[in-house]
Amino acid sequence: MTLRDTLPAAMIAAACAVATVVLAARAPDGATTRREPAATPAPLLDGLRVGDRIAGWTVTGIDPTRDGGLDVTVARDGMAFALAVVPLGVRPEPPPFAGDTHAIYYGHARPPGTQIPAGALRAITADLLRRLDRAAR
Amino acid sequence: MSAARRRIAAAVHHPRAPWILATVFAAAGVVDVLRDRHLHDEGRLTHLFARMTWEHPLELFFLQKSRPPISALYAPFAAAGPLAFGVAHVVVAAIAIVLLAGIARAFDHRWPNLAALVLAASPLYFASAAAGVSNSDGVAVAILGAWLWFARDRPFLGAVVLGLVPWIRAELAPLPLALLLVCPAAQRRGVIPGLLAFPILYALLGMLVHGDALWWAHYPPSLPEPMADHPLWARQDPRIGAAALSATLLALSPAWLFAIPLPTAPSERGIPRAQWAWLAFAAFEIGVLLAMPRWRAFNFDLSPRYLLGVVPAFALFVSSRTAALAPGPGLRTWIVEHAALLGAAALALHVALGGVDPAALAATAILATAIAIGRAGFGAAAGVAVAALLCAGPWGFADGTGLSTERTSPELQEIRARLDEDPRLHHRPIFTNAPLLSAVLPAEPFGPVHYIVQADQLHEIVTLTNPAWGQRAAVLESLGRGFYGIPAFADTFTPEGIPADAVLVLVDDPRLGLVMPSEAWDPILRVHTASATLRILERRTDPRAAPQSASGATP
């Protein structure tokens, strides 16, 4: 065995590994289709977890909001947006989607300026509302 | 030898290990079928042709479009229903995993079961098996033929089986020819008659049935060119980008890089000619199938599944190359190995910098690590690294399969949500152009699902069937019993012909205007729900009161 045998491949391996980590970390939340390692189910949304798919979109983040709800980030094909599921009445703005107990707001499309497809929005919010119903029962 | 080494040796050598692998594959496949994760319209078509073969065996066997060998194989299962068909389809694909290990063993591979693992863990092979598409059948039958030929030393029988392959997947037709041309004369005895047996017998029997000596040319397996003015082709981009290419290669196998052959040192074991033939076929296939959509020939698009035939070649070469990783490669080997590695790393980096999942970079890192530790003298550890990468395939590298229902038919969830929400839409007949809707919509509380047969589908049925001896009538009669639901053919699907309470669920499709011209349909329909890709419509109660400029009712 010589250094020539192993060193170049080892260097390429290290470079690729570093690039993987850096690019995965640098990507804006949910801007890639990578799955987060920790996938704790959200009871409010009937066990929805990071990595699940809704209408072809991958859930890349589920984070608590300050007003007692959840921010759900979904991504597909390098595009992402967030949906905030919060108790009805805690936000002053009229909600674009509402169930019996919760409202759903959406936004934070990435890359900036991207238009969220209306069909995807309707399908995802409908799914979230059904999940809220199931969880409430 | 340590216990760990003994276990690794058993895993890569033991003849029973592939059976365990196949069992796991089949069990996972059945679960996948039950969960409809890869429900696909082409898979439903495979089931449909098999069911129709059960109903009209003669008419369907001499319809080349029906892929007669596999339609005959699956006919009894298809008659029992989509689930029985799906299970049988997965089991056939699983058996091929065992056979490929047998071929690798016959080719004197050091770790023959690694080849079986490449096939079993190929995200695209698994997805194809679960989806029910014929691509995995073509690969399985090709492997069966090669196994009979090379592992069981039955070249005639193997060639007979390989002779069936073009009637299962046309793109696999060059494989038997490559094997025939490249194999040594001693291995070719009886091969030419074997390869010709089915084609000649089929052509002669078909001549009697069709009453036409050139029936096979007059009624080919697929349209030689798309229907004139086909709007779907006009909208399709026939070029493949770096991201799609990378995703496709990873979906074929995350260890695809190891399929690139290295100049073999004299001290290393030789690779049999048949294996080279399979790789030559794979290289040809990749080149042609990526270029074919530019020519718009034989309805080929850029679906990754058309490339599935290259996976056995990848599997055999990944097995050979992994086992050959040892210190002291020759200079030519070293240069080619590192040039390929750098090329793969550059492609992966380019794709990742474009904002796509860095999975390709991760795969390249693992393969580069395997090379480094293998060349350092730890061959078994290199094998474990490659095997670990392969095992991650179905989870980590499946985005490029193009067969996941959530990706290919995302509208299904939205349709279900819209129909669920409004009780007024329940128990009413549904007319749709979404081919999978009937498969996912429960009988309650929804009404019967009618599928609007598209103009190009009808064109294909008419062009590829012979009306002279009742074949076309039999095919249409059989289709009438179920074709993605209850079929509504263009000639009977008129505004006056649908029930007053019909609900139309229309997915964005440029072909729809050929069956539902706006001027005929818009005045009688009103929009219930509309989104970017979906419209749900109802009949107006008073069509004459509708404004003539009603827009958006049909694409």
Side-chain angles (χ1 to χ4, degrees), chain B residues 296-370:
Chain B
R296 298 183 177 178
F298 294 102
N299 278 346
F300 279 106
D301 57 24
L302 286 171
S303 298
R305 63 192 175 88
Y306 292 137
L307 287 170
L308 194 64
V310 311
V311 174
F314 279 18
L316 292 170
F317 272 85
V318 169
S319 164
S320 295
R321 263 196 67 181
T322 308
L325 282 172
L331 182 61
R332 285 194 309 146
T333 302
W334 187 91
I335 291 172
V336 174
E337 186 169 73
H338 286 81
L341 192 52
L342 279 172
L347 174 66
L349 186 64
H350 172 71
V351 167
L353 287 174
V356 177
D357 194 322
L361 270 173
T364 312
I366 293 171
L367 292 174
T369 305

Side-chain angles (χ1 to χ4, degrees), chain B residues 127-391:
Chain B
S128 298
V133 294
S134 55
N135 305 78
S136 66
D137 299 307
V139 170
V141 172
I143 289 173
L144 171 64
W147 178 77
L148 287 166
W149 185 348
F150 301 108
R152 305 295 295 177
D153 198 22
R154 298 277 190 276
F156 174 76
L157 205 53
V160 169
V161 173
L162 284 168
L164 302 174
V165 165
W167 278 270
I168 301 171
R169 293 302 314 176
E171 69 270 17
L172 293 179
L175 175 63
L177 297 177
L179 291 170
L180 175 69
L181 290 174
V182 173
C183 283
Q187 284 186 319
R188 287 192 311 220
R189 62 184 191 284
V191 166
I192 293 178
L195 284 177
L196 293 175
F198 176 75
I200 290 177
L201 194 63
Y202 187 55
L204 289 175
L205 290 174
M207 190 170 74
L208 296 176
V209 174
H210 278 272
D212 176 0
L214 293 176
W215 71 274
W216 45 271
H218 292 150
Y219 305 101
S222 67
L223 297 177
E225 57 185 4
M227 187 181 76
D229 301 325
H230 195 311
L232 209 60
W233 283 94
R235 209 167 69 160
Q236 202 159 47
D237 185 355
R239 295 166 299 180
I240 186 164
L245 179 64
S246 174
T248 299
L249 288 170
L250 289 172
L252 289 166
S253 174
W256 65 268
L257 173 64
F258 274 22
I260 296 173
L262 300 178
T264 313
S267 58
E268 293 174 357
R269 292 172 185 216
I271 290 173
R273 283 192 186 184
Q275 189 172 323
W276 282 113
W278 215 317
L279 188 70
F281 158 77
F284 172 78
E285 200 74 350
I286 289 173
V288 168
L289 286 178
L290 294 184
M292 194 86 94
R294 289 171 185 262
W295 307 326
R296 298 183 177 178
F298 294 102
N299 278 346
F300 279 106
D301 57 24
L302 286 171
S303 298
R305 63 192 175 88
Y306 292 137
L307 287 170
L308 194 64
V310 311
V311 174
F314 279 18
L316 292 170
F317 272 85
V318 169
S319 164
S320 295
R321 263 196 67 181
T322 308
L325 282 172
L331 182 61
R332 285 194 309 146
T333 302
W334 187 91
I335 291 172
V336 174
E337 186 169 73
H338 286 81
L341 192 52
L342 279 172
L347 174 66
L349 186 64
H350 172 71
V351 167
L353 287 174
V356 177
D357 194 322
L361 270 173
T364 312
I366 293 171
L367 292 174
T369 305
I371 290 173
I373 57 181
R375 295 295 181 206
F378 302 100
V384 170
V386 173
L389 173 64
L390 292 171
C391 289

Side-chain angles (χ1 to χ4, degrees), chain A residues 1 4-6 8-10 12-13 16-17 19-20 23-24 31-35 53-56 76-77 119 122-123 126-127 130, chain B residues 328-329 334 338 342 345 352-353 355 357 361-362 365 368-369 371-372 375-376 395 399 406-407 410 413-414 417-418 421 529 531:
Chain A
M1 178 191 81
R4 191 205 74 178
D5 290 352
T6 58
I12 295 171
C16 286
T20 304
L23 287 170
T32 72
T33 54
R34 93 192 131 88
R35 293 183 179 87
R53 295 261 176 105
I54 306 176
R76 192 179 77 181
D77 300 332
R122 295 181 71 102
D127 183 88
R130 281 202 304 277
Chain B
W334 187 91
H338 286 81
L342 279 172
L353 287 174
D357 194 322
L361 270 173
T369 305
I371 290 173
R375 295 295 181 206
W395 292 274
D399 274 356
E406 286 183 339
R407 292 298 287 269
Q413 285 197 36
E414 188 184 354
R418 297 278 83 80
E421 281 166 5
T529 305
S531 70

